[in-house]
Amino acid sequence: MQILGSCLHLKSKRICTAVKSCPEPSQLKPVFMKEVDSHFTEFVNSLVAKSALLDSSSSASPFPASCSEKELHKAKALRAPPEHGKIFTARRSLLDELFEVSHIRTIYHMFIALLIVFILSTLLVDFIDEGRLVLGFDLLVYVFGKFPVVFCTWLCMFCATVIIPYSLFFQWAQGYCTSSHRVIYSLFYGTLFTLFQTVGLGIGPTYVAISYALPPASRFIVILEQVRLVMKAHSFVRENVPRVLSSVKKSGSVPVPRISQYLYFLFAPTLIYRDNYPRNPMVRWGYVATKFAQVLGSLFYAYYIFVRLCIPQFRNSSQETFNLRGLVLCIFNSILPGVLILFLVFFAFLHCWLNAFAEMMRFADRMFYKDWWNSTSYANYYRTWNVVVHDWLYYYAYRDFLWFFGKKFKAAAMLSVFTVSAAVHEYVLSICFGFFYPVLFCLFMCFGMLFNFILNDRRKGPIWNVIMWTSLFLGQGVIICLYSQEWYARQYCPAENPAFLDYLKPRSWSCHMQM
């Protein structure tokens, strides 16, 4: 008690000294609270500074957070600069991190609840109309029909992509050093590779899809795999040819990748070739099963969206007179199914499908997309919506264009990238739907280019995010409305002995006149 009393006496002396006189206890209270407040403020500020330092170091470096600042700067200096190509690092997909937050996972639960409502609505309507529960999936059976043809076509494409590009590159690399006419030698092998890309992977699968009259979803599988393998083969050759050329100048050994490295790249969820990628130590097969189950659930979700929201609206659209009022109503009625399909494509393919294959391949870099939903500019939206394709376009279309023509032509390089992307998207839709109706191409090249320059990276306010989402909703409504109208018009108003121009003229503009 004496020690405690002496301590209190010393503390009171210090406080008295601070206020230059010993006041009453009521006068000591403000001084004491001021002292506590200053110490607490210092503690909070230091805690915030440390957490910010740890967060930046963990996101920017593969080293643990306990490393010193000097070690972190040293690690950053050892990395290859961005202009040397894409840097692959071990990181999770953004949705996997967000779903750990209960509030975000509730949104996921809301979409599941909406699927249950769609199922109940379909069952109840069928029960009222038919007098029995109808669980038929005729639409799914139709769109994924002729699957043996699809599998054989894919197997031929894949085996050809494994053998021919690798063999051509191997033969070129081995003979380039000893060739006395290197330019002619390279042109010969480059021509063979271009012929394979154009005829073997280009014309061949397209001919199969058209001649066998594959249904839409089966065509999508064939054509999307065709585009993917073309991009993969180009990346493999584009990344390895400069290595061979530089090794010849240095009089070193020719660096030819192993066939196992090329085969891993063909299955890996990336379009940028590397000899090695960051790998996870093990495969979580439960995670793989969950992702494939979510893909299957998204497929049924899309089925019920078309059954409940699209087919009833467009089934009789060709019997109505084409007018501006009907078109406006069609577009706005198509916004909801269009946006739901957009979300499903993103979630099923960019998140679930790619993550499932990444997990099976132990591929550690899971940044297949970024937070595109927070974009305040279309420029940022294009960069973050599909990082896998954007990386390929950036490194092999945009940067190679600037390397060939010079850095002064950035606008022309961007225009060329937009044109290539829009043309490929329209090619996929034209082959898969069986008609040419360049709605997506016009939206991409006109409004997409315009918004890319108007809604640029300088737009930072939340109002620009609202504008971006509004235009995105309207664009999805236009796409669903016009393509659906054209599909049903060609079903109800088939052309007898169609000429080539009949595949190019929109049938939905004149179908109602033939009814």
Side-chain angles (χ1 to χ4, degrees), residues 43-59 65:
F43 170 74
V44 171
N45 289 337
S46 63
L47 185 64
V48 170
K50 287 181 180 179
S51 64
L53 178 62
L54 291 176
D55 183 61
S56 63
S57 63
S58 62
S59 61

Side-chain angles (χ1 to χ4, degrees), residues 3-54:
I3 296 173
L4 180 61
S6 61
C7 290
L8 290 173
H9 180 67
L10 289 172
K11 287 184 179 180
S12 63
K13 271 190 174 183
R14 289 174 185 171
I15 297 173
C16 289
T17 305
V19 297
K20 294 189 171 74
S21 62
C22 279
E24 295 295 326
S26 61
Q27 295 176 342
L28 285 175
K29 184 177 179 181
V31 180
F32 180 74
M33 294 302 297
K34 185 177 180 181
E35 192 87 12
V36 171
D37 182 65
S38 64
H39 285 296
F40 181 75
T41 303
E42 290 179 7
F43 170 74
V44 171
N45 289 337
S46 63
L47 185 64
V48 170
K50 287 181 180 179
S51 64
L53 178 62
L54 291 176

